[in-house]
Amino acid sequence: MHHRYPPHLEPEAIWKTVIRSLAPLGLINIFFFLGGCAGPQSALDPSGPSALAIADLWWWMFGFSAAILCIIVMLWLYAMWRKPPSITETEAYQIGNRWIIGGGLVLPIVSLTLLLSFGIPIGYRLLPLPLEDQNPLHIEVIGQQWWWEIRYVDAGIVTKNQLHLPVGRPVDIHVSSIDVIHSFWVPKLGGKIDAIPGRTNVLRLEADTVGHFRGQCAEFCGKGHAEMILFIEAHTPESFVAWMEGYKHE
């Protein structure tokens, strides 16, 4: 006997229902996420090599996850459209095992291997490793409730919530705290690192364009957390030297 679906369960009707349901949500999500791709604290609008490496990793992960999502959706739609096959219980059991092994073991192993092959080299590039051709600038950043103390050790300069950097020169940020745990983060220049009392963590940053950037404490540290903002200015090498000399004579 020829099998017929009820009208509301016809594959074409199901497809139209799915499209009508998901299309508005998809458009909303697209505009929502695109809104975070720019701005003073966008990690997807890099202005330095460390931030560029992080953004590249993010886009690779986004593309890979989008591809996996499309494959899963297509398999789901195929499962809804196709007619139930005439198979034995043993055959059904074997097919189920293949899906479990493929989707539960092979797919995660391959996915994690690919992501680690990109992520590990990128993470290595963010470390404050010794350099042969350049001497990183040493700056100490001390988190306090609820402001940042910036110390230029070699020049004897101390600023509050103001970080000045030379363009094209690596800068080693030595981050610590005197009260609670804070988190130093300048999204357009690099990753984040915790400021922990009694411990110094080192983060390497480098700006490749002149401009102003915005940093933020990324660890809830009390009632003034939202106002714990850091203002960064990247200078040309000549302008940076002039700023330091001018600051010393103020």
Side-chain angles (χ1 to χ4, degrees):
M1 184 176 67
H2 181 65
H3 176 78
R4 290 289 299 173
Y5 292 98
H8 65 287
L9 292 180
E10 287 285 351
E12 184 177 352
I14 294 175
W15 170 246
K16 291 180 179 179
T17 302
V18 170
I19 293 297
R20 285 196 298 267
S21 301
L22 296 183
L25 180 61
L27 290 175
I28 292 173
N29 285 335
I30 289 173
F31 286 112
F32 176 78
F33 286 112
L34 286 178
C37 294
Q41 288 189 197
S42 173
L44 301 181
D45 185 18
S47 295
S50 296
L52 178 62
I54 294 172
D56 286 343
L57 177 61
W58 188 93
W59 283 113
W60 276 105
M61 293 178 64
F62 173 78
F64 189 82
S65 61
I68 295 296
L69 176 62
C70 290
I71 292 172
I72 292 175
V73 170
M74 287 189 292
L75 290 173
W76 169 60
L77 293 175
Y78 171 73
M80 293 178 60
W81 286 345
R82 69 171 188 152
K83 295 181 180 180
S86 299
I87 58 175
T88 64
E89 183 176 344
T90 301
E91 291 173 331
Y93 179 77
Q94 293 174 344
I95 293 174
N97 282 343
R98 286 197 294 267
W99 278 105
I100 291 174
I101 294 173
L105 290 176
V106 177
L107 179 61
I109 290 174
V110 172
S111 301
L112 291 175
T113 301
L114 288 174
L115 291 176
L116 288 175
S117 67
F118 288 104
I120 291 176
I122 288 176
Y124 186 80
R125 289 164 55 186
L126 303 181
L127 297 176
L129 301 174
L131 299 174
E132 296 181 358
D133 56 342
Q134 285 181 302
N135 182 29
L137 178 64
H138 181 171
I139 299 178
E140 293 183 357
V141 176
I142 303 171
Q144 305 185 36
Q145 291 179 315
W146 288 273
W147 59 285
W148 300 99
E149 180 181 346
I150 315 297
R151 297 179 179 177
Y152 296 79
V153 180
D154 297 334
I157 295 175
V158 179
T159 65
K160 179 179 180 180
N161 296 332
Q162 297 284 340
L163 177 60
H164 295 260
L165 307 173
V167 167
R169 181 180 177 184
V171 179
D172 284 351
I173 307 293
H174 294 249
V175 183
S176 61
S177 171
I178 64 170
D179 38 50
V180 300
I181 296 177
H182 303 280
S183 185
F184 175 89
W185 189 30
V186 185
K188 298 188 71 169
L189 295 182
K192 64 181 72 171
I193 195 166
D194 284 344
I196 302 174
R199 178 174 178 175
T200 299
N201 292 325
V202 183
L203 176 70
R204 177 163 294 167
L205 300 180
E206 182 179 340
D208 55 19
T209 59
V210 174
H212 294 82
F213 309 102
R214 191 175 187 271
Q216 174 72 51
C217 176
E219 180 79 24
F220 180 70
C221 54
K223 65 179 182 179
H225 163 70
E227 300 176 0
M228 194 170 174
I229 299 169
L230 181 64
F231 300 96
I232 302 94
E233 183 174 357
H235 304 259
T236 63
E238 298 78 14
S239 176
F240 179 72
V241 172
W243 170 80
M244 295 185 70
E245 292 298 325
Y247 194 92
K248 290 179 183 179
H249 294 89
E250 288 183 358

